[in-house]
Amino acid sequence: MPILELRDITKIFPGVRANDGVSLRLERGEIVALLGENGAGKSTLMNVVYGLMAPDGGEVFVDGAQVHIKTPRDAIALGIGMVHQHFMLVQTLTVTENIILGHEPSRFGVIDLVSARSKVSDLSTRYGLKVDPDERVADLSVGMQQRVEILKALFQGARILILDEPTAVLTPQEVRELFGVVRSLVAEGLSVVLITHKLDEVMGVADRVVVMRDGRVVGETTPAETDQVGLARMMVGRDVVLSVDKAPSKPGETVLEVRDLAVLDDRRLEALRCISLVVRAGEVVGIAGVDGNGQRELVEAIVGLRKPTSGSISLRGKDITHAAPHATIHAGVSHVPEDRQRRGLVLEFDLAENLVLGDQSDAPYASAGIMHGRVIDETARERIADYDVRTPSIRVLAGNLSGGNQQKLVLAREMGRDPDLLVAAQPTRGLDVGAIEFVHRRILAERDSGKAILLVSMELDEIMSLSDRILVMYEGRVAAELSSEEADAERIGYFMTGGSNKDGAPLQKPATTVAEGGAS
Amino acid sequence: MWLSFFTPDLFASAIRMATPLALAAIGGTICERSGVVNIALEGMMLVGAFFGVVVTLATNNVLLGVGAAIVAGVLLSAIHAFASVTLRMDQVVSGTALNILALGLTGFLMEVIYGHPGATNGIQHIIGPVFNFPTGGTGVLATIWTWIDQIVFSYTPIVYLAIIIAIVAQWAMFHTRWGLRLRALGEHPRAADTVGIRVQAGRYSAVLISGALAGLAGANLTLEQVGVYSDNMTSGRGFIALAANIFGRWTPAGSYLASLLFGFAEALEIRMQSFQSVIHVPVQFFLALPYVLVVIVLAGFMGRAVGPAAVGKPYEKE
């Protein structure tokens, strides 16, 4: 008897059938991966199971008995726990307070903190989820916060654990630890539903894979019966090229030159220390590094969002060190920001308005301070068609697009103004394979048309497959420069973690450090 | 001169003046901790003060008057809860509307009931001090006793009640299930929802509690301090209470202590007025003192105040 069974779940949002007769079965002690692109309806389905959304049709069975889950409280009482993609933790409360919230051990309303804390540390040792029960959640790393979420579900007595995109925010190391934890949970008798769109995770950890597309289940398989290419085909509905084919680069003249740049971060600490780099026309320069080693500040300094304390930035020989963002746009710099929802788009504006942001006061979109709606709309339609943004109309608000379409919209605007330099920060973060493929092809097409491209990414695979040269950043410096031929994950990883800098000597000559790195 | 300026009565007066501020401020703290902004504290105090007098005059029972003040505050806060929690209205707009409503309603009913504008009739006996120990005599011991009697034993019941409420609310907010859930509601209502806490119900109860406390603050003003209701007699105390809540960093004890500071400014204001012949400063200066202090404290000494993350944001389930 399956521990959880869903039959013909249907959930209709205005205009969309988010779930269309979805059935799913979860056996005891099993890890089922629910695979699908963003917007396929995976999270909706699990929100129905957890009582956060009321289904428009279908039945849910737990231990063979039909149940009606109307609120999360019902779900918890049935032993269903969920770790949400965006953590449901109260930042100002401690680990223990977050875990017991809603199920506080108490006498006459007074919380028994001593027994609460000891229960939390019992669970934490039993499942190998080490965490300090008295720490404030706001002070924890993302990986630790996820442990707290899992502990919370266990504390509530979960037998069925739903993990919604659990690896989206984790480092590779944390992903490995998480899957170790998941396996030990299953060994203890729990059953797990893993929502994901990452193929390698599915192959690595799942017992069975259920693939969803457009609100329907389109297939079921096991990792043994298929491979990543096969899974991608089921998920997207067509063949997907997972590896990037690219012609050798033909670098031209220097476009971007950064010299001895020093920049402070928001806490007024030194984020960049005398960094120098060059990007030439027709090449992709990739910046690799662990998040927080100055990548963000470098990008912001180049596009004019952050004032350098010393050094210079020039574009085709023209000094733009202290240029404001509008001036850098005019000079020929386009910017795909890492957070498309906060900096890339105005979510409350429609697509046409978003597509002229930055150029809104210039010809041909405006003259004498008055915007020309017809020109703007025509351009918008062209760019939307060109970049395959899936939308019923240009009047749709940007906030209503899926993540992939939002990113295409940003690219359409930034490339549409025909820049000399494209600075792309995390251009595929949170996108599914289909959209990633599109963004990658577009970036390489721009390179081949002679644009200079500076690519910042935390995804090593992305850096390695797109870049012609790779700079590894560590603590605000370039720790190493590698050509695409000599770069492999191990070598980049070595420099990312400060590899060649053990003796504290500054790295002046990247070439020699490469040799040291390779030797050790 | 200084000896007659800093008398024990000045400090006792500070605590008395702090009481309505503190009660409303603690109400504001509880309300905002649940995620609802309550700028209608002023109006809730006002209806409390007014209906306290009306019911006392009608029944000749001051206890019923206090009860009526609390009920009036709760009823007004129920409108605020309905507007901001159920209808998900902008909480500042709702609060402003209620302040205007309270002012208009009390002014209107005053004329209807008593036939003259400006003030109600006075109640016969205001609520007296709880203790009444003999004082007097000469010598050091007598002086010390006078100070103790004035600062510790000279107050009316609601003054003591406010201190008890501050202590109990402070403890409850950080040691009980109610307090933990309240804090979660204002920080991350969705997280509370996903662990089975009823967000709307929790917010309703917090708003109603703030109404009860603000109503009680109004009762303290009319039934313990003045004995008569005059038009707009709170004169911004509800807003000073909000400032005290912020200065007290959204904790009941902090709210009380911040109210003490503002209460002391008010006591100082009154005391200085009686020294006008000596100090030679226009009386308007003294009147402005508590408000100026609020501005200085909030703008100058406070640093960045971080309130509950979700305060002011209506919660929607899907």
Side-chain angles (χ1 to χ4, degrees), chain A residues 497-511:
Chain A
T497 49
S500 59
N501 206 10
K502 268 174 280 183
D503 54 359
L507 299 159
Q508 298 296 350
K509 288 190 162 181

Side-chain angles (χ1 to χ4, degrees), chain B residues 50 101-112 116-118 229 231:
Chain B
F50 178 76
L101 174 70
L103 191 58
L105 184 73
T106 50
F108 171 72
L109 288 179
M110 185 161 27
E111 289 211 43
V112 170
H116 51 82
Y229 175 89
D231 221 3

Side-chain angles (χ1 to χ4, degrees), chain A residues 328-346:
Chain A
T328 62
I329 290 173
H330 271 258
V333 178
S334 273
H335 175 210
V336 176
E338 64 177 313
D339 188 341
R340 57 182 160 267
Q341 303 206 329
R342 260 186 52 227
R343 280 194 163 165
L345 298 169
V346 179

Side-chain angles (χ1 to χ4, degrees), chain A residues 50 53-54 72-73 76 84 87-90 92-93 97 101-104 106 109-111 156, chain B residues 171 174-178 180-181 183-184 187-188 190-197 315 317-318:
Chain A
Y50 196 64
M53 291 177 180
R73 189 163 273 277
I76 293 166
H84 301 261
F87 297 154
M88 293 296 162
L89 296 174
V90 182
T92 51
L93 300 185
E97 286 174 328
L101 186 63
H103 300 78
E104 305 86 352
S106 53
V110 180
I111 293 176
Q156 293 163 356
Chain B
W171 176 82
F174 296 97
H175 292 91
T176 65
R177 182 160 60 192
W178 169 80
L180 181 65
R181 293 180 174 191
R183 286 182 287 144
E187 286 292 333
H188 197 337
R190 201 169 171 76
D193 193 6
T194 57
V195 293
I197 295 170
Y315 178 65
K317 225 173 148 92
E318 277 187 24

Side-chain angles (χ1 to χ4, degrees), chain A residues 194-496:
Chain A
L194 174 73
I195 301 178
T196 185
H197 62 251
K198 294 191 179 170
L199 304 170
D200 49 341
E201 290 170 4
V202 170
M203 297 301 291
V205 77
D207 298 316
R208 204 152 50 81
V209 189
V210 174
V211 184
M212 281 185 74
R213 186 180 349 128
D214 296 334
R216 290 197 183 84
V217 170
V218 293
E220 192 186 315
T221 181
T222 62
E225 294 167 12
T226 185
D227 56 12
Q228 293 201 19
V229 176
L231 283 174
R233 192 185 303 122
M234 279 171 92
M235 187 165 122
V236 186
R238 62 182 165 83
D239 282 322
V240 180
V241 186
L242 292 177
S243 61
V244 186
D245 271 335
K246 64 174 192 220
S249 70
K250 302 182 211 55
E253 58 183 302
T254 296
V255 174
L256 173 74
E257 181 164 16
V258 174
R259 253 181 195 289
D260 300 330
L261 192 69
V263 175
L264 302 181
D265 65 14
D266 291 336
R267 293 167 299 163
R268 316 219 40 87
L269 303 173
E270 221 175 28
L272 293 183
R273 311 161 186 223
C274 272
I275 197 169
S276 298
L277 61 93
V278 162
V279 184
R280 290 167 294 179
E283 73 170 349
V284 176
V285 173
I287 304 275
V290 176
D291 198 4
N293 274 280
Q295 300 98 316
R296 181 170 303 136
E297 288 78 10
L298 175 66
V299 168
E300 289 178 352
I302 293 172
V303 301
L305 288 168
R306 193 176 282 272
K307 291 262 165 287
T309 48
S310 67
S312 71
I313 305 167
S314 62
L315 194 79
R316 291 198 180 282
K318 186 173 170 251
D319 181 69
I320 57 163
T321 314
H322 297 290
H326 191 246
T328 62
I329 290 173
H330 271 258
V333 178
S334 273
H335 175 210
V336 176
E338 64 177 313
D339 188 341
R340 57 182 160 267
Q341 303 206 329
R342 260 186 52 227
R343 280 194 163 165
L345 298 169
V346 179
L347 298 180
E348 295 80 10
F349 281 11
D350 69 25
L351 304 192
E353 288 167 327
N354 268 292
L355 280 166
V356 292
L357 282 183
D359 308 310
Q360 71 278 9
S361 47
D362 305 323
Y365 308 115
S367 52
I370 295 171
M371 297 178 72
H372 302 314
R374 194 141 42 85
V375 184
I376 292 173
D377 289 356
E378 270 168 30
T379 317
R381 284 197 192 91
E382 276 170 32
R383 291 187 183 172
I384 279 171
D386 191 12
Y387 280 81
D388 190 31
V389 180
R390 306 276 170 83
T391 172
S393 138
I394 55 168
R395 292 278 92 87
V396 167
L397 301 187
N400 292 336
L401 294 184
S402 70
N405 279 311
Q406 286 179 352
Q407 191 69 328
K408 287 177 186 174
L409 191 67
V410 174
L411 272 176
R413 178 183 69 222
E414 295 301 320
M415 296 315 303
R417 66 169 78 100
D418 194 23
D420 292 327
L421 170 71
L422 173 68
V423 180
Q426 313 276 15
T428 59
R429 178 186 273 181
L431 303 189
D432 49 55
V433 279
I436 290 174
E437 184 196 14
F438 181 90
V439 171
H440 283 177
R441 274 197 290 115
R442 260 353 248 241
I443 287 177
L444 287 178
E446 297 299 339
R447 178 198 77 159
D448 293 341
S449 74
K451 306 271 188 275
I453 292 163
L454 185 68
L455 169 73
V456 176
S457 178
M458 305 302 140
E459 301 281 343
L460 268 191
D461 289 340
E462 177 166 88
I463 291 280
M464 288 190 297
S465 60
L466 293 183
S467 310
D468 302 306
R469 281 189 296 129
I470 296 166
L471 305 179
V472 187
M473 281 185 72
Y474 179 70
E475 292 192 343
R477 290 195 178 86
V478 174
E481 174 171 346
L482 309 165
S483 69
S484 59
E485 294 82 39
E486 60 188 342
D488 56 43
E490 201 174 321
R491 192 177 287 194
I492 297 175
Y494 176 78
F495 290 113
M496 272 168 67

Side-chain angles (χ1 to χ4, degrees), chain B residues 77-117:
Chain B
S77 71
I79 303 177
H80 186 52
F82 182 69
S84 49
V85 180
T86 305
L87 300 181
R88 302 191 192 99
M89 251 178 75
D90 187 292
Q91 296 164 8
V92 173
V93 172
S94 160
T96 306
L98 288 176
N99 281 335
I100 296 169
L101 174 70
L103 191 58
L105 184 73
T106 50
F108 171 72
L109 288 179
M110 185 161 27
E111 289 211 43
V112 170
I113 300 174
Y114 303 103
H116 51 82

